[in-house]
Each structure stands twice: as C-alpha cells, then as structure tokens.
C-alpha cells in the first residue's frame, strides 16, 4: 500500500455541496461525496453495515466524535471472538474528539495515525499491530496507553507530542521503534517493555519522569541528544546491544540501578544535572563516558565492569562513588571530580586511576595486580584533541589530588604518584613497606615555631607527620595548638598502632632511596615507641634521653647544642677544680753506696696541688679548652690535673665524643642518598 502523503487533502465539502459549511478536511468515503463524519445517517449506516472484520479503511483528516468511532470499530468487531480486526487503517490527520478506544484491537495491515490528534484518552492497551504502525507528529492531548501492546512491524512516534501521562508498560516492539524528537510532557512509562528491534529516542524530550524499569532492549538503543527534564528511571533495564546516550541531557536524577548493558554503552558528552545512580549495574562491554559532565554525584556502588578498558575522562562536580564495584579487566579511569570513593572496590587486573582536584577514599579496596593512583597536572585531552571542560572547578586553588584513606588495603601492588597524603589514614594497611611513592608525594608536617604552654615551652622541628599522629596529639590533655583534630569518621589510633605504620613507611622510603624521608618516619616511629603505653619504664627513660640529646640521632643542632654545653661545663669545671695550682716539679733521689758502685736514682713528681686564688684566668682557660677539645676527639691532653680534674676529663672523654657522633649521624641521615 502506498503510504506517501499528497501535498494537501481535499475538503470533503468541495464535492458534497451542503457540507461546505463544515470546512472539513476529511477524505470522502469511497463511493460518497463526504467524509464519514459528514455522511447522512442513512449513507453512514449503509457504509458501516457493509464493513466486515479485517477490512481496510481510510479516514484521513476525519473528525471522530466518540460515538462515531465506537460505531466504526464495532462494525469491524469479529462476532466470534469479540476482537476488533482492521486491515490497513489510515487515520492520518484524523481528529479524535473524545476517548479513542482501540483496546485489544488487531491491526492486520499498516496502521497510520500520522499527525493525528487525540483530544481524549488514547487507549491502545493490548492492541496488536501486525504491520507498520506510524504515529509521526501525532498529538496526544490527554493520557495515552499502549500497555501490553504488540508491535510486530516498525513503529514510528517521531515528533509525536504526549501532553499527559503515557504508558507503554509491558509493550512488545518486535521490530524497530522510533521516538525521535518526540515530546513527553507527562510521565513516560516503558516499564517491562521489550524492544527486539532498534529503539531510537534521539532528541526526544521527557519533561516529566521517564520510567524504563525492567525494560529490555534486545537490539541497539539510541537516546542521543534526548532531554530528560525530570527523573529518568531505568531500574533493572536490560540493553542487549549497543546503547547510546551521547549528548543526552538529564536535568534531574538519572537512575540505572541493576541495569544490564551487555554490549557497548556510550554516554559521551552527556550532561547529568542531578544525582546519577548505577547501583549494581552490569557493564559487560566497553563503557564510554568521555566528556560526560556530572553536576551532582555519580554513583556506581557494586557495579560490575567486566571488560571496560577505560572509564572517562569525565567531570563530576560532586563525588564519583565506586564502592563495591568490580573491574574485570585492565582499565584506565580518568576523573576530574571533587571526591572519588572506592571503598571495597575490586580490581581483577592492572588499573590506572588518573585524577584532578579529587580527594580519594580507598579504604579496603582489593587489587592483586599493579594499581596506580596519579595526579594529572594538565586537563585531560579527549580523542578529538580538545581538552575536557572543567567549569565546575574554575575557582578551585589547584588540581591537587588528596588520598583520604588507605585503611585495609594491601599496598604490595600500589603506586602513588604526585598525590597529597597529608590527611591519609594508614592504620590497618597491609604490606605498607612495599608501597611505592613516585614523584612529589607530600605529607603533613609538625606544627612550626615555638608553642607555649605552662612550662617549658615546646618547639616542634619540621618533619613529615601522619594525619593520625595529628589526631592523637590533638586529643591529648594539654595539647598545644597546631595539631589537627580528627574529623568525624577518622577514628582514633594511638602510638601502639602508629609505630608499625611509621616503621613500614620508613622502609618504603629507604627502598626508594629517599633517606631524608625515611629519617622523618624513623623519628615518628621512635616518638610513637616513646609514648606507647606498653614499654617498660627503663626503656622509656632511654628513649627519652635519646630524644632529648639528639632527636633520635636525627637532630644535629640538638646534639651540637648539648656538645657545646658539655664543653662549656667541662672548661668551667677544669678551670675551677681540675687544673693544678702550679706545674709539679720533678725530683730525683738516690743513695751512693759506701764502697762505691752503681748509683740508683728515683725520679718523682709532687702531687698536683688544688688551685687557690684566681682560678679563672686566661692561661687557665687556654689549658682547660685544650683539654676539652682533646676529649671531644677521645684524646688525652697530657696536662697535669688534680684528682677532680682527672675525673672531669674522663667524663668528658666519654660523653663529648658520643654527642659529636650523634651530630655527625644526624647530618648523614639528612644528606644521604
């Protein structure tokens, strides 16, 4: 049947004479000079009586009042089954003034309703369209129902307008279904619908909710450039072939919980203005989110990505949630986002996560192959060579990436590159000593300058400090200012838990040939050991002395200060008590045998006399300094000393070389590579 439209339909009144007053555009009934609406009653009755179920009809441009349509359909009702049966049915440009009740009707030929207007409720529930069904540019002014309808041929609703709620619940589309540029002003319900052919919704507009719950798309589905002004609901929807949402706009929430994408799905350049949810969704093919924009949160908890090789680059002004998600193959994730949450996310192959502006929560993530988290210094470059727009971050200070937590992670295969670890929680991380830190990975530092409390004043030297030490110190009684308080959910870790963390990170830095960094973590380890509640008092005393004298062999200035103080005290004590008053004279005594022979002399020296008078003279200072300097290098000066001076020198020769050694050790730890 030729379904092409002529340029204009003749008014039935042009041939009907008296009907001219109606100005009707309806096509004349075959063998008559007026449309069905304007036939005289007798002629109309005769026409209807001549119809049999399955006949083809053509009522283009005809205006149907509800009784007239009912009479027409009753004439086509099969008396044996009670089912309305139509052959080719042409209602292009027809106007249905009241309810149009085609429920359970069977269109055995083509059904054409192009540019038709349904002013009342359009009822096509359980209808069967065995041929082509065409509703292009049709207007549905009231509720529209195609629930459980079956479209065995191609169905077209391109440019159609649905002014109220529309239902295609459980409808079956056996061939292609086109809704290009259609407008749904009310709720669009496609729940449990089945699309066995291609489904095309390009440039469609959904002004109210779009519900595709449990729908099945067995062939390609395209929503390119579609606009969803209210919530889009694709709960448990199945897309068996390639699916495209490229350039689609979701002005409200977009929900795809438990949806299944069995082939490639593309959301390239799509815009999501509300919260987007893919909870427990399954992506069996590749995933295309390149240049997608999420103005709210993008949530993928417990989603499964079986073969996706890349995810992004995309921009998310909120947080990207991948908690509980599973990645089955090698994948690269590229996000510009406020926050990335990967709690208990599982990677079954190598992965690279490249980020900008994001704070990453990686607690309890699971991966058995190398995984890299890296900060991207420049905007992501798309496949066409352009840069990913970052309008939501225009006022952000910089694209730094912060890691908030690595708790519960096995870090044996983890690589961190150019990330900020100043707020990262490490307690509970496994194999932390095998963590690889590349580039400029930064940690928090101890409070700078002098901090006053009652007494004595406290000065913290600059060093790398874990966030959890900040939290612990800030929680101590009498804590000085400058230590960061734990935020809600950060938990509490004490010295007993932090000591092994510092030890593991020290080894990681040593393996990376970063000795100064390793020295900072050694200092932190010793600090946590000194403050731990389970060490004996004697060990605590030794650690305290080690800390006070040289900062655990890492503070050269402290050791040199003690060395200077010890040398000064040694000089003062030697001048006061150690140097003799005068240099003792040697005397020789002997006995000459009476009968001559060998004379034996005994040479002796007087004991040094304790000093009297002025002890603090320049000469005595010079001698005391000489003795002290020799003691520093563990040498004896050879000076004549009093008994007290001898003990002073012995003490000096024991303590001062140790302090000098600690200072040298501290310098070595800071410059070693």
């Amino acid at each position: 049947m030729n379904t092409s439209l002529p340029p204009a339909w003749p008014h039935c009144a042009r041939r009907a004479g008296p009907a001219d007053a109606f100005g009707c555009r309806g096509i004349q009934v075959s063998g008559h000079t007026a449309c069905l609406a304007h036939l005289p009653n007798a002629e109309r009755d005769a026409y209807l009586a001549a119809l049999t179920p399955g006949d083809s009809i053509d009522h283009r441009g005809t205006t149907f009042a509800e009784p007239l349509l009912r009479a027409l359909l009753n004439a086509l009702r099969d008396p044996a089954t009670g089912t309305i049966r139509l052959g080719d049915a042409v209602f292009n440009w027809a106007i249905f003034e009241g309810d149009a009740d085609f429920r359970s009707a069977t269109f055995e030929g083509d059904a054409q309703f192009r540019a038709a207007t349904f002013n009342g409720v359009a009822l096509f529930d359980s209808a069967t369209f065995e041929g082509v069904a065409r509703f292009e540019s049709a207007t549905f002014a009231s509720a529209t129902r195609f629930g459980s309808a079956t479209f065995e041929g191609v169905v077209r609703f391109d440019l159609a307008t649905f002014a109220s709620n529309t239902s295609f619940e459980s409808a079956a589309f056996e061939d292609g279904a086109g809704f290009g540029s259609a407008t749904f002003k009310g709720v669009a319900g496609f729940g449990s619908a089945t699309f066995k052919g291609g489904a095309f919704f390009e440039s469609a507009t959904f002004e109210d909710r779009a519900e595709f719950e449990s729908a099945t798309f067995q062939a390609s589905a395209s929503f390119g450039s579609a606009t969803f002004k209210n919530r889009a609901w694709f709960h448990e929807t199945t897309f068996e072939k390639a699916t495209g949402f490229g350039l689609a706009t979701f002005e409200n929430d977009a929900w795809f919980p438990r949806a299944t994408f069995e082939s490639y799905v593309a959301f390239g350049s799509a815009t999501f203005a509300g919260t987007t949810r893919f909870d427990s969704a399954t992506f069996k093919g590749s995933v295309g989110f390149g240049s997608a924009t999420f103005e709210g949160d993008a949530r993928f908890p417990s989603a499964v990505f079986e073969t996706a090789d890349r995810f992004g680059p995309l921009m998310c002004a909120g947080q990207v949630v991948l908690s509980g998600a599973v990645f089955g193959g090698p994948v690269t994730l590229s996000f510009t986002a406020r926050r990335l949450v990967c709690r208990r996310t599982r990677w079954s192959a190598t992965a690279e996560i490249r980020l900008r502006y994001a704070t990453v929560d990686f607690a309890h993530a699971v991966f058995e192959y190398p995984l890299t988290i890296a900060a991207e210094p420049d905007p992501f470059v798309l496949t066409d060579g352009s840069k990913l727009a970052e309008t939501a971050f225009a006022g952000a200070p910089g694209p730094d990436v912060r890691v908030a937590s690595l708790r519960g992670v096995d870090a044996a295969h983890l690589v961190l590159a150019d990330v900020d670890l100043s707020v990262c929680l490490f307690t509970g991380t496994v194999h932390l000593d095998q963590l690889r830190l590349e580039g400029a990975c930064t940690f928090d530092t101890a409070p700078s300058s002098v901090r006053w409390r009652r007494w004595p004043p406290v000065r913290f030297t600059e060093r790398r400090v874990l966030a959890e030490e900040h939290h612990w110190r800030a929680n101590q009684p009498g804590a000085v200012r400058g230590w960061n308080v734990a935020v809600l959910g950060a938990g509490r870790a004490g010295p007993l838990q932090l000591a092994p963390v510092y030890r593991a990170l020290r080894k990681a830095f040593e393996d990376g040939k970063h000795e100064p960094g390793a020295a900072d973590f050694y200092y932190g380890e010793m600090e946590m050991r000194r403050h731990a509640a389970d060490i004996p008092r004697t060990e605590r005393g030794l650690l305290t002395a080690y800390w006070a004298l040289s900062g655990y062999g890492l503070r050269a200035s402290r050791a040199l200060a003690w060395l200077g103080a010890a040398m000064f005290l040694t000089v003062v004590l030697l001048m006061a008590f150690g140097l003799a008053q005068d240099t003792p004279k040697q005397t020789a005594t002997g006995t000459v045998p009476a009968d001559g022979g060998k004379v034996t002399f005994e040479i002796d020296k007087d004991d040094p006399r304790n000093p009297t008078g002025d002890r603090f003279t320049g000469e005595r200072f010079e001698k005391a300094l000489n003795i002290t300097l020799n003691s520093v290098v563990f040498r004896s000066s050879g000076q004549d000393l009093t008994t007290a001076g001898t003990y002073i020198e012995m003490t000096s020769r024991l303590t001062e070389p140790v302090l000098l050694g600690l200072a040298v050790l501290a310098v070595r730890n800071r410059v070693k590579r």
Side-chain angles (χ1 to χ4, degrees), residues 150-327:
T150 299
F151 299 89
E152 297 181 2
V154 174
V155 56
R156 303 296 298 271
F157 285 90
D158 306 272
L159 295 169
T161 300
F162 300 87
S164 188
N165 295 344
T166 304
S167 173
F168 285 86
E169 305 284 339
S170 300
F173 299 87
E174 303 286 342
D175 207 327
F179 291 84
S181 299
T183 300
F184 298 85
K185 296 184 177 181
V187 177
F190 288 84
S192 300
T194 301
F195 296 84
K196 294 184 178 180
F200 305 96
F201 289 83
E202 295 100 330
S203 302
T205 300
F206 298 84
E207 298 186 2
D208 207 323
R209 295 193 310 276
E211 300 178 350
F212 287 81
E213 180 176 1
S214 300
T216 300
F217 295 84
Q218 296 181 358
S220 299
S222 177
F223 291 83
S225 300
T227 300
F228 300 84
K229 295 188 176 182
N230 207 310
R231 188 178 67 181
W233 181 260
F234 289 85
H235 183 272
E236 295 185 344
T237 304
T238 300
F239 301 88
E240 296 184 4
K241 299 295 182 180
T243 304
F245 286 87
L247 295 170
T249 300
F250 298 84
E251 298 183 3
N252 206 297
D253 296 345
W255 287 15
F256 293 80
R258 289 191 286 279
T260 300
F261 301 89
E262 297 188 358
S263 186
Y264 174 72
V265 57
F267 287 89
S269 300
T271 300
F272 301 85
T275 299
T276 306
R277 304 191 65 114
F278 286 86
D279 307 50
S280 301
T282 299
F283 300 87
K284 295 184 178 181
S286 299
V287 179
F289 279 92
S291 193
T293 299
F294 295 85
E295 298 178 7
D297 292 346
R299 305 181 63 87
F300 295 82
S302 301
V304 177
F305 300 85
E306 293 187 1
T307 60
D309 58 349
R310 62 177 168 267
F311 191 178
L314 58 83
M315 185 195 74
C316 180
Q319 60 180 353
V320 178
V321 179
L322 292 172
S323 297
V326 177
F327 290 87

Side-chain angles (χ1 to χ4, degrees), residues 364-451:
H364 304 286
V366 179
F367 44 93
E368 302 175 1
Y369 296 88
L371 185 145
T372 301
I373 302 176
E376 186 72 19
D378 301 312
F380 292 109
V381 178
L382 305 175
T383 54
D384 61 359
S386 62
K387 293 183 178 181
L388 178 67
E390 298 179 342
T391 53
F393 300 88
D400 298 341
V401 175
R402 294 155 297 280
V403 179
S405 178
L406 290 176
R407 286 184 169 177
V409 171
D410 186 341
H413 300 287
L414 180 60
V415 179
L416 302 179
D418 300 311
V419 297
D420 182 354
L421 298 169
S422 60
V423 297
C424 186
L425 304 178
F426 286 97
T427 306
T429 305
V430 182
H431 294 141
L432 190 56
D433 58 322
Q434 299 179 40
L435 173 67
R436 286 183 53 192
L437 300 174
E438 304 287 348
C441 292
T442 59
F443 290 82
D444 206 347
T445 57
S448 59
S449 71
V450 177
R451 302 288 172 170

Side-chain angles (χ1 to χ4, degrees), residues 70-88:
R70 187 183 305 116
L72 174 62
L73 297 180
N74 284 334
L76 298 169
R77 190 181 301 275
D78 190 336
T81 62
T83 301
I84 300 170
R85 294 171 44 220
L86 303 91
D88 290 331

Side-chain angles (χ1 to χ4, degrees), residues 9 24-27 35 58-64 90-95 114:
W9 294 108
C24 178
R25 299 184 64 188
I27 191 171
C35 71
D58 184 355
H59 295 291
R60 288 170 282 182
T62 303
T63 299
F64 285 91
V90 183
F91 290 94
N92 299 327
W93 288 325
I95 300 174
R114 288 181 291 183

Side-chain angles (χ1 to χ4, degrees), residues 31-51:
H32 300 273
T33 58
C35 71
L36 183 62
H38 296 133
L39 279 180
N41 291 339
E43 295 181 23
R44 182 188 304 120
D45 293 341
Y47 167 74
L48 295 176
L51 292 176

